[in-house]
Amino acid sequence: MSANFVSLSATTQVKVGLGKLKGIFVSSGTAPTVAVYDSATASTADPIILNTFTAATPGNYVFTGDADGVGFSKGLYVVIGGTTPKVSVFYE
């Protein structure tokens, strides 16, 4: 299966259902933050895949392991912060 991608500038429910987080690229922003949850309902109460971090700009974060990606079962919810962040999320 090939990876999908979405470009974000705000918090977004990227996918509902089973999948894999392949990577995150942060191209710009002032103090951009990213957090990722295994959620189908845009909830930060669901399991954390990736705790909030302040990303380098530009910054490329590739997730390997478990056959090239971090698995999630409920969905992929990405919380974006900072000023004018531009974030690309790669997933299956």
Side-chain angles (χ1 to χ4, degrees):
M1 175 182 249
S2 63
N4 299 301
F5 74 93
V6 61
S7 295
L8 308 174
S9 59
T11 297
T12 304
Q13 179 74 49
V14 174
K15 180 180 179 177
V16 173
L18 186 68
K20 288 185 181 178
L21 176 62
K22 308 288 262 177
I24 296 172
F25 178 71
V26 181
S27 60
S28 64
T30 302
T33 61
V34 179
V36 182
Y37 296 85
D38 185 358
S39 177
T41 59
S43 173
T44 58
D46 281 324
I48 298 168
I49 296 172
L50 188 62
N51 267 316
T52 302
F53 71 99
T54 301
T57 54
N60 192 31
Y61 305 90
V62 178
F63 303 106
T64 60
D66 191 29
D68 297 323
V70 177
F72 53 87
S73 59
K74 297 178 184 178
L76 186 59
Y77 177 51
V78 181
V79 177
I80 305 291
T83 305
T84 63
K86 300 292 183 202
V87 177
S88 296
V89 176
F90 302 87
Y91 66 97
E92 286 182 1

